[in-house]
Amino acid sequence: MEKLDSKGARVEYIQLALQRAGYDPGPIDGVLGPAADGALRRFQQAQGLDPDGVAGPATWGRLAGYLRGYLRRTAGADDTVASLAQQHNTAAAAIQTANPSLTGEPLPAGTAVTIPLGFPLVPTGVRYSSQLIQYIVEGMTARYPFIARGSIGGSVMGRPIPYLQMGRGSVQVFYNAAIHANEWITTPLLLRFLEEYAAAYAAGGSIGGTPAAALYDKATLFMVPMANPDGVDLVNGVLDSGGFYDQAKTMAADYPDIPFPSGWKANISGVDLNLQFPAGWEQAKQIKFAQGYTRPGPRDYVGPAPLSAPESQALQRFTVHRNFSLILAYHTQGQVIYWKYLDYEPSGSRSIAEYFGRVSGYAVEQTPYASGFAGYKDWFIQAYNRPGYTVEAGRGVCPLPLSQFDQIYRDNLGILVGGITEI
């Protein structure tokens, strides 16, 4: 339970929710200081809760609506879509999109109504976690019922690995992110794109200069925005001490040159998930063992066998059960696009890579030998001989600061749209 002087990502979520609810908590800095404490107490009082400044289960239950980005209402006798929009400071069109079956004015008394709140759902100024991603996934599908959701499987710690699906075209494309824990800035990158795509489709508009309806009709987009939820939770300070946190810290002690937890790329068991796929796994093992990564740790340990980690198993199984024509695997950093595996050159893959380079300004290169085996992109190309790309977004030391997000999004919007238009 968070209270005065608490720190961490969960405090950022409290500050974000209070800001969205109209209670000024001061800057979103992950510290529950006097301004945030006062805002929290005012929020609690307005919600009929004990204004004790402690974010316990009841308070979190009320804050969560502002993280999910919608509320549920039961229509009264005289309620209309317009009146509900005015009451909740949102747009009537957003309510209609979220409730496509609503007919008649006034609304029939007792009708259950989803009220999307009047702010963008996907935040770009807070650290991400498995908790936040669940709020966003739920909110995305509530605001836009034409988006489907599910889980591709679970992590070592039993956290679900969610996916989102949008479109009705026969072509299937797949984007994934945050397979490496400290590259989690790629999670809001995919989610921001999906939110803007959905909003454009609902409004009959365009995204990246392309009519959203054309994208929707051409392809079905599948997206796994956080493939490594346990690792992201570790990097962003969400895991409590003890248990898996202490286990990870012990493993990290074997690699003292890698900062903990910011340097952590692996899953919570110390297996690098992007070295887990059956495409030159033995070569990857030789390379990484020669570099000294011979045991579980923060990065570059290939695991005891290919597909031995539940997260890599889930990605592989999800892929096998679908018919993806193209995949994008998002990483950081380097502003580079990798497009080949060994001598495989799927039809059209070079021209698509060159297009991605033009619209992003990123370099287009072949993967360096020392990093060129056992990745998800490598396996997809080898298994299906179809275009697959690793996109290394941004530049700097991971985890990249959120101050880079807007530039990363601008650079990559053309790639994210082009993954559908160019296939």
Side-chain angles (χ1 to χ4, degrees), residues 272-294 299-303 305-306 341-342 368-376 378:
D272 191 317
L273 298 174
N274 208 42
L275 293 169
Q276 269 277 287
F277 292 89
W281 183 84
E282 289 291 346
Q283 290 97 319
K285 180 179 179 180
Q286 284 185 335
I287 292 166
K288 298 306 179 184
F289 271 46
Q291 294 173 346
Y293 299 105
T294 59
R299 56 177 293 169
D300 289 335
Y301 174 60
V302 299
Y341 173 63
L342 298 180
Y369 181 83
S371 303
F373 301 96
Y376 174 78
D378 308 325

Side-chain angles (χ1 to χ4, degrees), residues 3 5-8 11-12 15 25 27-34 36:
K3 57 184 179 180
D5 295 330
S6 291
K7 299 178 181 179
V11 172
E12 293 177 10
Q15 292 170 320
I28 297 177
D29 59 3
V31 179
L32 212 162

Side-chain angles (χ1 to χ4, degrees), residues 248-418:
K249 191 171 184 179
T250 298
M251 287 187 284
D254 290 333
Y255 299 91
D257 293 336
I258 300 173
F260 179 82
S262 64
W264 194 274
K265 296 173 66 174
N267 75 351
I268 201 66
S269 295
V271 175
D272 191 317
L273 298 174
N274 208 42
L275 293 169
Q276 269 277 287
F277 292 89
W281 183 84
E282 289 291 346
Q283 290 97 319
K285 180 179 179 180
Q286 284 185 335
I287 292 166
K288 298 306 179 184
F289 271 46
Q291 294 173 346
Y293 299 105
T294 59
R295 62 179 71 87
R299 56 177 293 169
D300 289 335
Y301 174 60
V302 299
L307 300 174
S308 57
E311 299 91 348
S312 56
Q313 292 170 12
L315 275 174
Q316 189 259 5
R317 185 170 56 246
F318 187 68
T319 304
V320 166
H321 290 164
R322 280 155 186 85
N323 186 30
F324 299 139
S325 295
L326 174 147
I327 65 94
L328 295 178
Y330 262 93
H331 292 254
T332 58
Q333 51 79 41
Q335 297 182 340
V336 63
I337 300 161
Y338 297 123
W339 68 283
K340 284 189 71 175
Y341 173 63
L342 298 180
D343 293 329
Y344 291 89
E345 188 170 327
S347 176
S349 59
R350 181 191 293 266
S351 63
I352 295 172
E354 291 170 348
Y355 174 83
F356 288 164
R358 287 195 301 273
V359 297
S360 65
Y362 285 10
V364 176
E365 299 178 1
Q366 296 187 37
T367 312
Y369 181 83
S371 303
F373 301 96
Y376 174 78
K377 176 267 291 179
D378 308 325
W379 168 75
F380 178 80
I381 293 174
Q382 176 183 269
Y384 296 98
N385 198 29
R386 295 174 181 173
Y389 305 91
T390 295
V391 182
E392 297 280 359
R395 192 180 293 278
V397 177
C398 298
L400 298 182
L402 283 167
S403 59
Q404 286 197 26
F405 180 83
D406 288 344
Q407 184 64 53
I408 288 172
Y409 187 73
R410 287 192 295 269
D411 291 344
N412 283 276
L413 180 57
I415 296 176
L416 294 163
V417 172

